[in-house]
Amino acid sequence: SVSNTYYWAGGLATEVLVGVYGFDKFVELTKNIQQNQDLSSLLMQTYGFNADYFYEKLAPYIWAHIPS
């Protein structure tokens, strides 16, 4: 289903953020959600890049994990 696909892609996105930037930064992101729900702003505030940049870098990782 579509919701399972979003959940799976979100899991991969989380894996990338934690793997590249560490768990402490991910905790900071989740704390920042309390003040701001806009993903692009949250990413900029926490990691220094916006959602477009993140999706561009994330896409090849997601494609590599799609079963053939």
Side-chain angles (χ1 to χ4, degrees), residues 51-61:
D52 289 341
Y53 175 85
F54 182 56
Y55 295 148
E56 180 183 318
K57 299 300 181 187
L58 180 65
Y61 186 72

Side-chain angles (χ1 to χ4, degrees), residues 38-61:
D38 177 65
L39 180 61
S40 197
S41 296
L42 281 167
L43 290 170
M44 185 60 75
Q45 178 182 358
T46 309
Y47 297 102
F49 51 79
N50 65 17
D52 289 341
Y53 175 85
F54 182 56
Y55 295 148
E56 180 183 318
K57 299 300 181 187
L58 180 65
Y61 186 72

Side-chain angles (χ1 to χ4, degrees), residues 3-18:
S3 62
N4 285 341
T5 302
Y6 290 142
Y7 182 76
W8 172 78
L12 288 177
T14 300
E15 185 177 301
V16 167
L17 290 173
V18 172

Side-chain angles (χ1 to χ4, degrees), residues 32 42 66:
N32 289 338
L42 281 167
I66 295 175

